[in-house]
């Protein structure tokens, strides 16, 4: 049984499940090169079908993680907000309603659109599924758990923002939901906008900034903006923060009166901004804990699955694991709306009896892969000198270059599913050098200096470096760095003494694992700084994009499969 899941809203994506096994999954942004793109994911669909070697007509059903006709309430709220505040009746606001109706039209005529635009073959029937159930399935059905409590928290589904459930591998029993407009995702998006960043886009920047400040505004935010109520409920004061207010200025004049002027995007970041970020993060964490503890009381489960866009907040995930009373936590690599496309496919497969054997997601390598010949052609087309090395030699040489302080783009195997580079489309560096962050910012990233870089570590040695319970293959939570090694890997320790860790086990990514081992042999440190292979764009997908990105930077080396290319302008001997 083949089920193709797809979502055409924000973070558009497609995923193919065949007889219960994940065959392929990718976000459309990687193909069309627009971050978080909202679009019918035609290229992602084509990629999934090509990977399986099938046509659209060979698929048994299309699963969509939205009951789109129920989205009317969201549009009504948006129009209502604009009518109440005519000054917010902006062109942008009107467009967001128009865009929503455009997305519905695509879904209403999905079979026709897909059939015409994918490969001309007949499109199978489409099944529209509850958005939050798909998020829940995206975590529970690939988790290592037989049974778990499930928490879904995002900006908004068809009509809700939060769902608490209890699930096993056969069913998801919804316990409670929080209805619009009370949304934790939109609370954080509102703060993101207030701090001069792009809402629904730059929340991770606010999370990084939070570690630099003190939560001096947290009490005021709790009293005025986001209140918790008994039984796992919470209320967002939409007179102060309301994402339906046309997405442009989603905080009101009253919010500004209470918390001071908003930061303009080009303005310097001050200690007050640090404190606002720290306060919002603290209030978000407290509210999530409030929900999780209620869920724990209701279910008595030891295991927790979390999904929805808010599950990208890796700092909050760690707090949940530490303080909510659960012993284990699973968050999928694509926790947001792209993940819901895979969740939809899995959930429909489950409902139709197509998930006979349990699937546990141990890797995020579900995207496109390119042959060595295609990689070589891209490198030679750019006039780069290319060396072929077997795995052992490649890893030895790259480890040596890294240990000597040079940077390496690392392009291997299938592109990662979800927003994190996990050793397939990565930029790697030596975490031991204090100045490495500055060096990367200088040579590649040009990003805010407070933003942390993350470490990859050999799984079996993770506890020497990080205070981490269990494994963390998808970089979805942070862990305190052991105080004895903070000075050993300064480039990956955030200002609050934590790191967003990726543990690399023996099976999930063999070549990356070999590289970590080679680096450990050479330096004694089984840790690499791992950031994404991109510069102000979606993570690279193809070899050509990789080479183009490499040439735009001052990074010294590019490794693609077994091929190693060096920057042309590098003096000999490095
Ligand atoms: Fe969602």
């Amino acid at each position: 049984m083949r089920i193709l899941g797809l979502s055409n809203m924000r973070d558009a994506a497609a995923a193919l499940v065949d007889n219960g096994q994940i065959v392929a999954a990718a976000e459309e942004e990687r193909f069309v090169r627009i971050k978080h793109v909202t679009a019918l994911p035609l290229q992602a669909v084509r990629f999934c079908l090509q990977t399986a070697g099938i046509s659209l007509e060979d698929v048994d059903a299309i699963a969509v993680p939205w009951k789109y006709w129920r989205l009317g309430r969201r549009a009504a709220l948006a129009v209502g907000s604009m009518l109440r505040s005519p000054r917010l009746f902006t062109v942008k606001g009107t467009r967001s309603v128009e865009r929503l109706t455009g997305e519905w039209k695509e879904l209403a005529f999905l079979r026709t659109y897909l059939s015409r635009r994918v490969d001309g073959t007949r499109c199978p029937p489409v099944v529209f599924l509850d958005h939050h159930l798909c998020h829940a399935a995206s975590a529970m059905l690939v988790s290592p758990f037989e049974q778990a409590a499930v928490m879904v928290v995002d900006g908004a589904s068809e009509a809700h923002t939060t769902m608490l459930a209890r699930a096993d591998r056969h069913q998801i029993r919804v316990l409670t939901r929080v209805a619009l407009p009370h949304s934790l995702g939109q609370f954080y998006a509102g703060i993101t906008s207030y701090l001069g960043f792009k809402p629904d886009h730059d929340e991770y920047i606010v999370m990084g900034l939070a570690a630099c400040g003190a939560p001096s505004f947290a009490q005021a935010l709790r009293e005025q903006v986001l209140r918790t109520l008994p039984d796992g409920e919470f209320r967002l004061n939409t007179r102060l923060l309301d994402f339906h207010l046309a997405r442009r200025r989603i905080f009101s004049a009253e919010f500004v009166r209470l918390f001071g002027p908003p930061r303009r995007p080009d303005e310097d970041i001050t200690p007050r901004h640090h404190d606002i970020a720290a306060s919002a993060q603290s209030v978000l964490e407290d509210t999530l804990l409030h929900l999780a503890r209620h869920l724990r009381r209701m279910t008595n489960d030891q295991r927790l699955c979390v999904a929805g866009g808010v599950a990208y907040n890796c700092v909050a995930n760690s707090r949940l694991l530490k303080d909510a009373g659960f012993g284990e936590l699973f968050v999928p690599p694509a926790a947001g709306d792209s993940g819901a496309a895979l969740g939809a496919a899995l959930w429909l497969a489950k409902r139709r009896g197509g998930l006979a054997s349990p699937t546990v997601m141990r890797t995020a390598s579900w995207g496109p892969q390119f042959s060595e010949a295609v990689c070589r052609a891209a490198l030679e087309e750019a006039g780069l000198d290319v060396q072929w090395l077997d795995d052992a030699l490649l890893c030895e040489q790259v480890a040596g270059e890294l240990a000597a302080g040079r940077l390496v783009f690392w392009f291997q195997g299938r592109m990662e599913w979800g927003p994190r580079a996990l050793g397939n489309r990565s930029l790697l560096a030596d975490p031991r050098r204090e100045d490495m962050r500055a060096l990367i910012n200088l040579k590649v990233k040009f990003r805010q200096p407070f933003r942390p870089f993350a470490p990859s570590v050999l799984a079996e040695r993770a506890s020497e470096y990080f205070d981490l319970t269990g494994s963390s293959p998808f970089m979805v939570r942070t862990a305190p760095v052991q105080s004895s090694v903070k000075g050993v890997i300064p480039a990956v320790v955030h200002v609050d003494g934590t790191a967003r860790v990726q543990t690399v086990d023996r099976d999930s990514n063999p070549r990356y694992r070999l590289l970590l081992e080679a680096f450990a042999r050479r330096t004694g440190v089984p840790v690499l700084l791992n950031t994404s292979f991109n510069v102000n764009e979606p993570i690279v997908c193809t070899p050509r994009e990789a080479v183009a990105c490499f040439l735009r930077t001052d990074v010294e080396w590019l490794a693609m499969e077994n091929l190693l290319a060096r920057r042309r302008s590098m003096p000999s001997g490095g």
Side-chain angles (χ1 to χ4, degrees), residues 108-148:
F109 298 100
L110 190 58
R111 289 184 78 177
T112 311
Y113 275 115
L114 285 180
S115 179
R116 267 197 212 142
R117 295 168 68 185
V118 172
D119 60 11
T121 66
R122 197 171 148 274
C123 182
V126 180
V127 181
F128 297 95
L129 299 158
D130 180 281
H131 183 66
H132 278 175
L133 283 179
C134 294
H135 271 310
S138 78
M140 181 64 212
L141 294 182
V142 296
S143 77
F145 310 144
E146 288 304 313
Q147 184 170 296

Side-chain angles (χ1 to χ4, degrees), residues 65-66 74 131-132 135 152-157 307-309 335-338 340:
W66 295 98
R74 276 171 66 170
H131 183 66
H132 278 175
H135 271 310
V152 175
V153 190
D154 62 6
S157 70
D337 282 350
S338 54

Side-chain angles (χ1 to χ4, degrees), residues 161-210:
T161 67
T162 304
M163 184 183 87
L164 303 182
R166 189 169 200 217
D168 57 27
R169 290 192 170 275
H170 304 288
Q171 59 170 340
I172 299 167
R173 191 158 59 87
V174 178
L175 300 172
T176 176
R177 296 194 197 236
V178 178
L180 275 167
H182 307 292
S183 164
L184 292 182
Q186 295 307 327
F187 162 72
Y188 214 78
I191 299 292
T192 301
S193 168
Y194 175 78
L195 287 174
F197 302 107
K198 199 172 165 191
D200 283 346
H201 194 280
D202 289 341
E203 280 71 9
Y204 64 100
I205 298 177
V206 175
M207 185 181 72
L209 196 62

Side-chain angles (χ1 to χ4, degrees), residues 39-76:
L40 196 58
L42 294 169
Q43 299 207 50
V45 167
R46 287 189 197 110
F47 150 69
C48 288
L49 297 176
Q50 277 163 13
T51 303
I54 57 172
S55 307
L56 192 58
E57 64 185 356
D58 300 321
V59 173
D60 294 289
I62 306 284
V64 176
W66 295 98
K67 295 200 170 189
Y68 70 92
W69 57 91
R70 290 192 190 159
L71 287 162
R73 179 169 155 73
R74 276 171 66 170

Side-chain angles (χ1 to χ4, degrees), residues 81-292:
S81 286
M82 289 194 284
L83 289 174
R84 280 197 305 279
S85 308
R87 80 182 172 78
L88 293 160
F89 213 118
T90 59
V91 173
K92 213 166 179 180
T94 314
R95 275 198 199 132
S96 74
V97 174
E98 276 173 13
R99 202 182 63 194
L100 204 54
T101 48
E103 289 154 17
W104 299 347
K105 199 171 135 201
E106 275 176 358
L107 292 177
F109 298 100
L110 190 58
R111 289 184 78 177
T112 311
Y113 275 115
L114 285 180
S115 179
R116 267 197 212 142
R117 295 168 68 185
V118 172
D119 60 11
T121 66
R122 197 171 148 274
C123 182
V126 180
V127 181
F128 297 95
L129 299 158
D130 180 281
H131 183 66
H132 278 175
L133 283 179
C134 294
H135 271 310
S138 78
M140 181 64 212
L141 294 182
V142 296
S143 77
F145 310 144
E146 288 304 313
Q147 184 170 296
V150 181
M151 190 159 98
V152 175
V153 190
D154 62 6
S157 70
E158 295 88 348
H160 297 90
T161 67
T162 304
M163 184 183 87
L164 303 182
R166 189 169 200 217
D168 57 27
R169 290 192 170 275
H170 304 288
Q171 59 170 340
I172 299 167
R173 191 158 59 87
V174 178
L175 300 172
T176 176
R177 296 194 197 236
V178 178
L180 275 167
H182 307 292
S183 164
L184 292 182
Q186 295 307 327
F187 162 72
Y188 214 78
I191 299 292
T192 301
S193 168
Y194 175 78
L195 287 174
F197 302 107
K198 199 172 165 191
D200 283 346
H201 194 280
D202 289 341
E203 280 71 9
Y204 64 100
I205 298 177
V206 175
M207 185 181 72
L209 196 62
C212 306
S216 50
F217 295 92
Q219 194 56 31
L221 282 173
R222 268 184 214 107
E223 285 167 8
Q224 304 285 343
V225 183
L226 188 64
R227 273 185 310 128
T228 53
L229 302 174
D231 299 329
E233 288 280 329
F234 63 88
R235 288 287 175 272
L236 181 66
N237 182 351
T238 52
R239 282 187 303 107
L240 300 185
L241 280 183
D242 185 353
F243 80 106
H244 298 297
L245 299 185
R247 287 181 182 264
R248 195 174 65 170
R249 283 172 65 91
I250 54 186
F251 45 91
S252 67
E254 198 181 341
F255 187 92
V256 173
R257 191 178 60 73
L258 286 166
F259 293 96
R263 175 181 167 269
R264 289 190 314 275
D266 56 350
E267 208 176 320
D268 284 344
I269 296 172
T270 66
R272 188 177 76 84
H273 302 131
H274 295 166
D275 291 353
I276 293 275
S279 305
Q281 178 68 25
S282 166
V283 172
L284 176 80
E285 288 175 23
D286 289 349
T287 312
L288 288 170
L289 263 182
H290 175 71
L291 290 165

